[in-house]
Amino acid sequence: LSELEALMERMKRLQEDKEDEEASQEEMATRFEKEKKESLLVISGGICAFPVPFSFDDEIVSTDVSRYIEDPGFGYKDFARRGEDHLPTFRAQDYTWENHGFSLVNRLYSDIGHLLDEKFRMVYNLTYNTMATHEDVDTTTLRRALFNYVHCMYGIRYSDYDYGEVNQLLERSLKVYIKTVTCYPERTTKRMYDSYWRQFKHSEKVHVNLLLMEARMQAELLYALRAITRHLT
């Protein structure tokens, strides 16, 4: 099967498995922990820990980002050290954007919550109902996997989501691309962009980038707003 056909087959199989039998809470928690720990290994010092079709050493654009920041040492750091047995987890049910963050940010800055919420929803729900040359395709499962994987990298877990879907729908090269775009955007190259979903349209792959950026922004807001909430109470 081609990359596209294999992905569509996995999506179909996931839907059938979900209808037949749902995973237990214990199984879903275990799958989340596995994905969370694996995400720490996706990039190590700019080199992928997984065998993928490309290497960061092959093509890293030397981008000087110092002009855009005051602290040259500023950059993304994994939320936990590799090798730790008990990694911190942000339980989404305890502090969600819809039930907590949205109202707080509106209190702090009038109407900004509505604008942010509209932006999140628009990007998350954006779809042509296509996958490359296939039409009338429900891409909800795939969009949810992309969004939730970014949150997983930041240690955020949704208790009602089965992270086994992430492992089945997002191949390793795509996970490397996701973490690079989300955490180390200055390292992203066209070769990396071209290496995944080769049969997809550019508009569909650009939508992936939009999803990743909005998921990252929401994750950062959740951590910041939760801290503010704790300070206020």
Side-chain angles (χ1 to χ4, degrees), residues 146-157:
L146 289 164
F147 196 92
N148 285 358
Y149 182 63
V150 173
H151 280 204
C152 178
M153 290 194 305
Y154 281 83
I156 300 174
R157 182 197 171 209

Side-chain angles (χ1 to χ4, degrees), residues 1 3 50 60-61 132 138 142 158 187 222:
L1 293 178
E3 183 183 32
F50 296 143
I60 292 184
V61 178
D138 184 356
L142 189 55
Y158 295 88
R187 297 180 182 175
L222 285 173

Side-chain angles (χ1 to χ4, degrees), residues 7-226:
L7 177 58
M8 293 192 66
E9 181 63 29
R10 290 197 296 272
M11 290 174 62
K12 179 181 178 181
R13 189 166 60 247
L14 276 174
Q15 188 59 41
E16 292 173 349
D17 292 344
K18 188 180 297 185
E19 293 173 356
D20 292 339
E21 182 179 359
E22 290 188 3
S24 66
Q25 281 294 318
E26 184 178 354
E27 288 174 323
M28 291 198 291
T30 300
R31 291 169 184 173
F32 168 76
E33 290 298 327
K34 180 180 178 181
E35 282 297 330
K36 183 172 63 172
K37 290 180 179 179
E38 183 185 275
S39 73
L40 298 177
L41 301 175
V42 169
I43 294 176
S44 178
I47 298 176
C48 175
F50 296 143
V52 291
F54 57 84
S55 166
F56 280 98
D57 293 336
D58 292 341
E59 183 186 353
I60 292 184
V61 178
S62 179
T63 305
D64 181 13
V65 296
S66 61
R67 73 188 74 177
Y68 305 113
I69 55 178
E70 295 180 1
D71 180 6
F74 179 81
Y76 170 84
K77 291 184 179 180
D78 284 316
F79 66 92
R81 294 180 180 177
R82 297 173 181 81
E84 289 185 356
D85 293 330
H86 303 289
L87 303 181
T89 296
F90 185 133
R91 299 194 308 169
Q93 67 267 29
D94 295 338
Y95 199 94
T96 66
W97 166 254
E98 292 80 7
N99 298 330
H100 305 91
F102 173 80
S103 57
L104 175 59
V105 80
N106 261 346
R107 282 172 50 198
L108 299 174
Y109 192 161
S110 181
D111 292 332
I112 193 66
H114 293 286
L115 296 174
L116 287 170
D117 190 62
E118 182 181 0
K119 187 162 69 86
F120 292 147
R121 292 178 184 274
M122 180 181 296
V123 171
Y124 187 86
N125 295 321
L126 180 65
T127 180
Y128 300 128
N129 293 312
T130 63
M131 285 180 65
T133 57
H134 295 265
E135 298 182 351
D136 298 322
V137 180
D138 184 356
T139 61
T140 303
T141 303
L142 189 55
R143 285 181 278 125
R144 183 170 58 237
L146 289 164
F147 196 92
N148 285 358
Y149 182 63
V150 173
H151 280 204
C152 178
M153 290 194 305
Y154 281 83
I156 300 174
R157 182 197 171 209
Y158 295 88
S159 60
D160 59 346
Y161 180 70
D162 183 358
Y163 288 84
E165 294 187 9
V166 168
N167 197 44
Q168 293 189 54
L169 296 178
L170 309 184
E171 67 273 14
R172 287 177 174 181
S173 61
L174 178 53
K175 286 181 178 180
V176 173
Y177 180 78
I178 290 171
K179 188 163 186 179
T180 307
V181 169
T182 306
C183 307
Y184 311 97
E186 73 279 3
R187 297 180 182 175
T188 309
T189 66
K190 187 176 185 301
R191 185 177 179 184
M192 294 170 60
Y193 172 85
D194 292 337
S195 72
Y196 80 96
W197 289 0
R198 296 173 180 85
Q199 295 167 292
F200 280 65
K201 301 172 184 175
H202 286 299
S203 59
E204 293 170 319
K205 298 177 77 167
V206 168
H207 183 206
V208 170
N209 284 6
L210 294 175
L211 271 172
L212 303 184
M213 292 296 96
E214 295 306 320
R216 171 183 169 167
M217 174 177 278
Q218 191 177 109
E220 292 171 336
L221 278 172
L222 285 173
Y223 274 103
L225 294 172
R226 185 181 67 167

